[in-house]
Amino acid sequence: MSTTTESPSSRQATHPGERIAEWTDGRLGLYKLAKSNLRKIFPDHWSFMLGEVCLYSFVILILTGVYLTLFFHPSMNEVVYHGPYAPLQGVRMSDAYASTMHISFEVRGGLLVRQIHHWAALIFIAGMIVHMMRVFFTGGFRKPREINWLFGWTLLFLGMFTGFTGYSLPDDLLSGTGVRFMEGAILSTPLVGTYLSMFLFGGEFPGHDFVSRFYSVHILLLPGLMAGLLTAHLILIFYHKHTQFPGAGKTEKNVVGTPLLPIYTAKAGGFFFLVFGVISAIAAMVTVNPIWTMGPYRPDQVSTGAQPDWYMGFSEGLIRVMPGWEIRLWGHTLVLGVFIPLMIFPLVLLAIAVYPFIESWVTGDKREHHILDRPRNRPVRTGFGVAWLTLYFVLLVGGGNDIWATHFHLSINAITWFVRIGFFVLPVLTYWITKRICLGLQRRDRDKVLHGRETGIIKRLPHGEFIEVHEPLSQQQLHVLTAHAQPAPIELGPAVDENGVARKTNPVEKLQARMSRNFYGEHSQIPKPTAEEYEEVLAGHGHHEEITSGSGSH
Amino acid sequence: MSDEFGSHKDVSENLPSAHGAHSGDAVQHDPFANPGLPPHEYRRQDIDEKAAKHSERVVAGLFTLSMLGTIAFIACFVIFPVDKIVYIFPFGHVSALNFSLGLTLAVALLGIGVGAVHWARTLMSDEEIVDERHRADADDELRENIRQQWITGARESGFGRRKLIRTTMYGAMALVPLAGVVLLRDLGPLPEDKLFHTLWAKGKVLINSNTNKPLRPEDVVVGSLTFAQPEGLQESDEDFQQQIAKAALMIVRLKPEDIKDKREAQWGHEGIVAFSKICTHVGCPISLYEQQTHHVLCPCHQSTFDLSDGARVIFGPAGHPLPQLRISVNGDGNLVALGDFAVPVGPAFWERS
Ligand code: HEM
Ligand code: FES
């Protein structure tokens, strides 16, 4: 065989797979793409799988969703039920509801696919929130990944609406009540509320159009947008390469892990099947959204204990605890009791979306970051994250106030007031507590570095003193506990310049300096041990031993 | 090897101006220096061919289990009728088909999943590899190059010079989306006064929603909540849902002396009063009545209205009372409306005064 070097194609491809690859390469430049990607390095950490859970549940949603479209009729035409489910015999319902009944009771495996679709939606959105908070607490959103943070956040935002439009499709009594809730909220919009409602529903609520309109939004518009964003999200992850936690051999300039082919492919590919398998098992065992027990939607009927899917629960909480303010002026009504919650709903979500930009402005940090933070080393950020989650969960509690009341025999009034006060107080409280805990953990890290790890073994010294034996940390541990930077807060600069002339500081600069002090001031970080301190303690130990051994010369 | 990526200097170069950062001369003696990647530790499977063979058998076993799962799935699909209900502890009565299909599918999928992960963990090389990172931004030379290209392109277009073209182009681009906006006009009718009217009108008989019979005063007993709708409205009507969404009524009988609101008593008939069933918060139908207190509760967000006091809001997020319908009795002894509601029913909106 001649090992010629003139052109890459001179080597004869023998394996059919290789021949196909070669053919494609000649047209798409496949090999150049593979060059930097086939053995791409992926760092390993359990929390890096959270994003994968979202990706896989999205794929599952598409697979099962396409199946559902084969049987579902997105139509509000009235039909009379004559299917196998006896309690609804002869009942009038929309074709949408009837076809969902058909999927559930007559299509073999249809119920399973519906259940998988719904469970995957619940897990998809839960996964996105947990994944987002992982990125948040570890500072994974810092430069150069801010844009990917926004992509991810948008996916969460759209995911919530995809879920909402999805569970509204069967047109059952529960989901119809949710749609009515939405209509009431839209009506509260000043000036244009009634117009928006008429245009959305094609006339007066509920009309004949919303199921088919929601349908195109649910199966085409939103999933299309999300598929695009998701692809961009993944491309950026490849482009930036994954972040990594501090550790032996890991620096800001490298990425340490296992290659895409074969390890990561096998693990990630296997993980897809794991997620799918677990969701199938859940779908077999736990019924979600049994629309047959609720019956078809009628605007004059309602079931008690009506609850939206969990991810909409926090908007439910907002609307439940808000006092019913209405301002009537000049023949118009400003429905603040509904409109304010309608506005707070996106604002709560926006607060976390813009956080990376606020942090980078406050800290003046414009560098690239590829090593993740340990949450304790950024007490203010960690505190903010916990406060945000607290707000979210307080509202979630508020959204289920009737459930709490009946299950725990509490008064609705008490819960409502708890949520109202908690809305303002609890985030502040948890922020403060979290910051304390972080500082405590930093202090413990400092002690560990300087004095070693407590072993729990008590030793008695010759002169009778008891000491606990401390084991020195390994080099790797020493490094991990001290690898983080402790930036100084931004200083305002002197109030007078070199010539003694009073300098003008604008209020924005002042705010930045104040927030920066809050972030990196002495109340927000425990100075990590310096090399000198460490050497000193080491030397001190020697000293101590010398004394006990009696030589005393130093 | 550790020099390449392990030296602590690499890290500190990227660190912000830190106090207490270990930098400069101290590097050699830095007690916290990055020790570099630890030597790779071999697993049993890497050195012991027997252990490797065992892992191989486990993985193959899991893949085989998956195949059995799929076959079982197909078998269940064929065997179980779609309507067969079985009792399975602790799940209760479940569909045999759904239950068996879900679990067999789970086995088929988990077999592949667990197998692949086990394969990766025990048999594929787990040696960690180091790769370089590269900054996203361009160096000065490239930046300058791109700037020049841009300037050349912009100059050649004449965009900056020919103001007339620029302005008219902006104008054209700004206007053309209006075509799309206009196209949305027929999504729905204008609101006009649609939300101000319901089917109720003078003389319309109240029909009991449960029995579909005209409601007579003697049918309405103290302590019960009766639902009513206007005569002539049929479930089979084209616009039934829209009409019932506004016209649904809630009737109670109170002792006349219990009614605190004078107008409420006047608008009723011998203590029988009719209120809109549609909550004024965001429009759920109200369904719970507490006869001692005469309170009705909306199950959606717990707004509570006092039916003995003009249906005023006594708790919850609703912003105004439930509208009352004026009723009386006609010559046949049936309850009738004396007109439409005086105010719009349901949630508040901008045009409502
Ligand atoms: C991308 C994220 C998606 C989410 C979060 C989501 C969520 C949901 C939910 C919660 C339901 C209600 C299911 C029920 O209990 O009945 C639903 C219904 C439905 N979805 Fe999706 N879905 C998504 C994507 C898709 C896609 C891509 C398609 C089709 C291509 C699809 C097609 C359908 C259909 C036809 C229904 C109505 C049938 C039924 O309810 O059984 N979905 N969706
Ligand atoms: S709809 Fe009745 S309380 Fe909200």
Side-chain angles (χ1 to χ4, degrees):
Chain A
M1 229 207 209
S2 64
T3 49
T4 151
T5 47
E6 30 177 304
S7 110
S9 56
S10 59
R11 199 187 135 261
Q12 277 299 313
T14 43
H15 193 275
E18 198 181 344
R19 246 180 279 142
I20 292 172
E22 218 103 287
W23 187 90
T24 321
D25 181 47
R27 281 141 191 96
L28 301 176
L30 196 64
Y31 285 2
K32 289 198 192 89
L33 190 71
K35 186 176 154 226
S36 52
N37 289 319
L38 213 50
R39 292 281 281 180
K40 189 122 201 145
I41 302 303
F42 283 88
D44 207 8
H45 189 266
W46 64 266
S47 68
F48 299 165
M49 291 196 306
L50 294 167
E52 285 181 53
V53 173
C54 308
L55 173 63
Y56 302 148
S57 20
F58 183 76
V59 174
I60 296 168
L61 280 164
I62 303 239
L63 289 175
T64 50
V66 170
Y67 176 91
L68 289 174
T69 61
L70 304 178
F71 300 95
F72 179 72
H73 303 173
S75 142
M76 295 176 85
N77 288 343
E78 282 233 316
V79 297
V80 178
Y81 186 70
H82 293 301
Y85 186 70
L88 289 181
Q89 278 302 331
V91 171
R92 281 180 182 276
M93 53 183 62
S94 66
D95 202 5
Y97 184 86
S99 66
T100 314
M101 289 298 286
H102 174 71
I103 294 174
S104 306
F105 287 97
E106 288 160 87
V107 177
R108 282 181 286 175
L111 179 59
L112 182 68
V113 179
R114 256 196 74 221
Q115 302 284 295
I116 294 179
H117 193 72
H118 204 128
W119 272 113
L122 298 177
I123 289 171
F124 178 52
I125 296 168
M128 285 196 285
I129 289 188
V130 181
H131 169 61
M132 178 173 85
M133 292 325 282
R134 193 285 290 170
V135 173
F136 182 86
F137 284 121
T138 58
F141 54 74
R142 290 169 300 169
K143 189 182 169 189
R145 298 184 176 78
E146 301 98 320
I147 298 174
N148 223 13
W149 164 267
L150 290 182
F151 283 174
W153 179 87
T154 312
L155 278 165
L156 170 63
F157 194 76
L158 297 180
M160 290 170 52
F161 287 97
T162 316
F164 178 78
T165 48
Y167 73 68
S168 300
L169 290 181
D171 200 23
D172 57 281
L173 194 52
L174 178 63
S175 72
T177 306
V179 177
R180 176 89 224 217
F181 171 162
M182 191 189 76
E183 196 248 357
I186 289 174
L187 279 182
S188 77
T189 315
L191 289 166
V192 295
T194 49
Y195 290 83
L196 291 180
S197 170
M198 292 290 159
F199 286 0
L200 180 63
F201 290 93
E204 288 185 71
F205 176 87
H208 297 279
D209 293 324
F210 88 80
V211 167
S212 54
R213 290 182 181 178
F214 276 28
Y215 186 66
S216 35
V217 171
H218 179 75
I219 73 155
L220 185 68
L221 181 64
L222 291 177
L225 286 176
M226 291 175 76
L229 277 168
L230 203 105
T231 313
H233 198 72
L234 294 177
I235 289 177
L236 277 184
I237 291 170
F238 263 71
Y239 175 66
H240 290 137
K241 301 188 172 137
H242 208 290
T243 49
Q244 54 197 353
F245 280 102
K250 296 174 182 170
T251 74
E252 288 284 9
K253 294 196 164 164
N254 71 11
V255 48
V256 180
T258 46
L260 178 64
L261 189 79
I263 287 267
Y264 191 75
T265 311
K267 276 191 187 167
F271 195 53
F272 166 75
F273 289 96
L274 286 183
V275 172
F276 206 163
V278 168
I279 293 179
S280 304
I282 297 175
M285 295 185 291
V286 192
T287 309
V288 62
N289 201 13
I291 54 142
W292 53 92
T293 62
M294 297 179 266
Y297 181 61
R298 265 190 56 164
D300 62 333
Q301 288 173 3
V302 70
S303 57
T304 49
Q307 284 288 321
D309 268 6
W310 76 269
Y311 43 86
M312 282 288 162
F314 90 102
S315 60
E316 181 89 4
L318 275 169
I319 204 135
R320 283 187 185 200
V321 302
M322 180 73 196
W325 297 339
E326 276 176 20
I327 297 179
R328 265 162 244 136
L329 273 182
W330 303 296
H332 288 292
T333 303
L334 195 55
V335 198
L336 293 179
V338 182
F339 191 62
I340 290 179
L342 186 68
M343 289 296 102
I344 297 181
F345 166 76
L347 285 182
V348 169
L349 291 167
L350 264 177
I352 198 124
V354 298
Y355 178 85
F357 303 95
I358 293 177
E359 184 183 298
S360 122
W361 175 71
V362 167
T363 59
D365 185 351
K366 306 279 183 272
R367 281 170 299 265
E368 284 196 358
H369 293 278
H370 304 288
I371 298 264
L372 294 171
D373 281 325
R374 300 167 75 227
R376 69 186 61 179
N377 290 331
R378 298 287 174 254
V380 173
R381 178 201 298 152
T382 307
F384 177 83
V386 173
W388 187 83
L389 282 177
T390 307
L391 188 70
Y392 191 92
F393 281 107
V394 165
L395 291 173
L396 212 55
V397 168
N401 58 0
D402 50 336
I403 311 266
W404 294 93
T406 44
H407 279 254
F408 298 101
H409 307 285
L410 300 166
S411 102
I412 291 255
N413 201 359
I415 299 174
T416 302
W417 275 102
F418 168 79
V419 174
R420 281 179 184 172
I421 297 171
F423 180 86
F424 295 100
V425 174
L426 285 179
V428 179
L429 195 68
T430 50
Y431 168 82
W432 188 81
I433 294 174
T434 309
K435 206 173 144 189
R436 288 297 103 172
I437 294 176
C438 287
L439 290 175
L441 289 170
Q442 282 190 31
R443 228 171 265 129
R444 217 173 69 180
D445 283 353
R446 184 184 153 85
D447 283 349
K448 262 203 224 162
V449 168
L450 290 179
H451 307 295
R453 187 167 5 100
E454 295 169 4
T455 55
I457 302 168
I458 308 289
K459 206 166 88 180
R460 190 173 174 214
L461 294 179
H463 58 270
E465 189 192 341
F466 286 95
I467 57 157
E468 189 178 0
V469 177
H470 284 225
E471 189 188 313
L473 298 186
S474 71
Q475 190 64 36
Q476 136 113 340
Q477 288 164 318
L478 282 178
H479 171 70
V480 166
L481 297 189
T482 56
H484 59 290
Q486 293 198 313
I490 294 175
E491 298 291 343
L492 252 189
V496 244
D497 66 14
E498 314 90 80
N499 306 324
V501 183
R503 217 170 54 89
K504 258 220 196 122
T505 47
N506 70 36
V508 179
E509 277 174 31
K510 274 194 196 140
L511 177 71
Q512 187 190 21
R514 256 192 52 197
M515 287 175 70
S516 176
R517 232 177 305 130
N518 181 26
F519 229 88
Y520 284 138
E522 50 191 313
H523 298 298
S524 301
Q525 46 193 3
I526 306 294
K528 60 182 190 183
T530 60
E532 293 77 38
E533 278 176 301
Y534 182 76
E535 307 285 345
E536 219 165 90
V537 173
L538 271 191
H541 271 300
H543 194 65
H544 186 70
E545 271 160 28
E546 276 163 25
I547 290 177
T548 47
S549 66
S551 87
S553 67
H554 194 63
Chain B
M1 203 178 153
S2 76
D3 276 341
E4 231 182 278
F5 43 80
S7 131
H8 200 78
K9 198 155 165 243
D10 282 349
V11 184
S12 43
E13 265 174 13
N14 281 290
L15 293 183
S17 63
H19 42 72
H22 4 88
S23 56
D25 302 348
V27 167
Q28 277 89 338
H29 326 288
D30 184 355
F32 308 134
N34 192 332
L37 207 57
H40 177 232
E41 278 174 32
Y42 288 97
R43 294 161 303 194
R44 265 197 65 197
Q45 286 85 353
D46 295 327
I47 37 186
D48 178 358
E49 186 50 31
K50 249 172 71 191
K53 265 268 172 278
H54 176 74
S55 293
E56 187 180 341
R57 277 195 299 274
V58 172
V59 174
L62 285 163
F63 287 161
T64 314
L65 182 68
S66 164
M67 291 190 248
L68 296 177
T70 305
I71 293 167
F73 180 92
I74 297 169
C76 292
F77 191 92
V78 177
I79 294 168
F80 292 114
V82 67
D83 55 357
K84 186 166 175 66
I85 303 293
V86 290
Y87 181 84
I88 298 176
F89 181 81
F91 306 106
H93 292 278
V94 297
S95 151
L97 187 65
N98 184 61
F99 193 77
S100 58
L101 288 184
L103 288 187
T104 48
L105 182 61
V107 170
L109 295 164
L110 289 174
I112 299 181
V114 180
V117 171
H118 192 68
W119 179 13
R121 287 200 144 164
T122 56
L123 293 172
M124 293 182 188
S125 159
D126 68 340
E127 186 159 6
E128 286 200 307
I129 299 178
V130 180
D131 205 356
E132 300 268 300
R133 288 186 191 276
H134 307 285
R135 289 181 62 90
D137 45 9
D139 55 19
D140 289 343
E141 192 188 335
L142 180 56
R143 204 173 301 140
E144 188 48 36
N145 178 313
I146 298 299
R147 220 175 70 87
Q148 287 311 330
Q149 292 195 28
W150 177 263
I151 290 173
T152 312
R155 193 168 349 96
E156 285 172 4
S157 77
F159 193 70
R161 219 156 17 94
R162 304 196 193 279
K163 296 259 158 50
L164 191 60
I165 290 188
R166 195 172 66 183
T167 319
T168 48
M169 189 189 83
Y170 284 156
M173 299 288 246
L175 281 189
V176 80
L178 281 182
V181 175
V182 169
L183 282 177
L184 295 179
R185 168 60 190 87
D186 282 348
L187 275 177
L190 295 181
E192 291 160 338
D193 59 353
K194 296 189 179 64
L195 296 177
F196 289 82
H197 300 298
T198 73
L199 270 190
W200 291 109
K202 191 169 165 55
K204 275 240 165 134
V205 175
L206 275 63
I207 304 288
N208 185 327
S209 295
N210 286 331
T211 60
N212 257 329
K213 301 244 162 61
L215 202 58
R216 305 173 70 82
E218 55 271 28
D219 299 338
V220 185
V221 292
V222 172
S224 74
L225 186 65
T226 312
F227 300 129
Q229 61 195 54
E231 72 172 305
L233 180 61
Q234 297 295 327
E235 243 198 331
S236 52
D237 289 348
E238 174 75 13
D239 61 349
F240 173 78
Q241 296 274 69
Q242 288 77 269
Q243 295 304 344
I244 196 74
K246 293 191 296 184
L249 268 197
M250 188 165 61
I251 324 279
V252 290
R253 182 193 280 272
L254 306 172
K255 294 198 201 86
E257 65 272 20
D258 282 347
I259 302 181
K260 294 176 207 128
D261 183 277
K262 236 178 82 198
R263 200 189 72 170
E264 179 183 341
Q266 283 168 7
W267 283 24
H269 172 78
E270 295 168 357
I272 298 175
V273 284
F275 287 97
S276 164
K277 193 188 175 186
I278 307 301
C279 184
T280 60
H281 179 221
V282 289
C284 276
I286 289 166
S287 62
L288 303 168
Y289 179 51
E290 217 179 57
Q291 50 164 304
Q292 267 90 31
T293 55
H294 316 300
H295 293 170
V296 284
L297 175 84
C298 174
C300 283
H301 317 110
Q302 290 81 42
S303 285
T304 311
F305 305 84
D306 185 350
L307 290 196
S308 66
D309 191 8
R312 124 191 113 79
V313 185
I314 54 166
F315 178 77
H320 59 269
L322 295 167
Q324 186 178 2
L325 189 74
R326 276 181 85 168
I327 52 167
S328 179
V329 172
N330 70 4
D332 304 334
N334 297 328
L335 287 171
V336 289
L338 288 181
D340 200 350
F341 288 100
V343 290
V345 299
F349 49 89
W350 176 253
E351 291 87 345
R352 195 177 185 278
S353 55

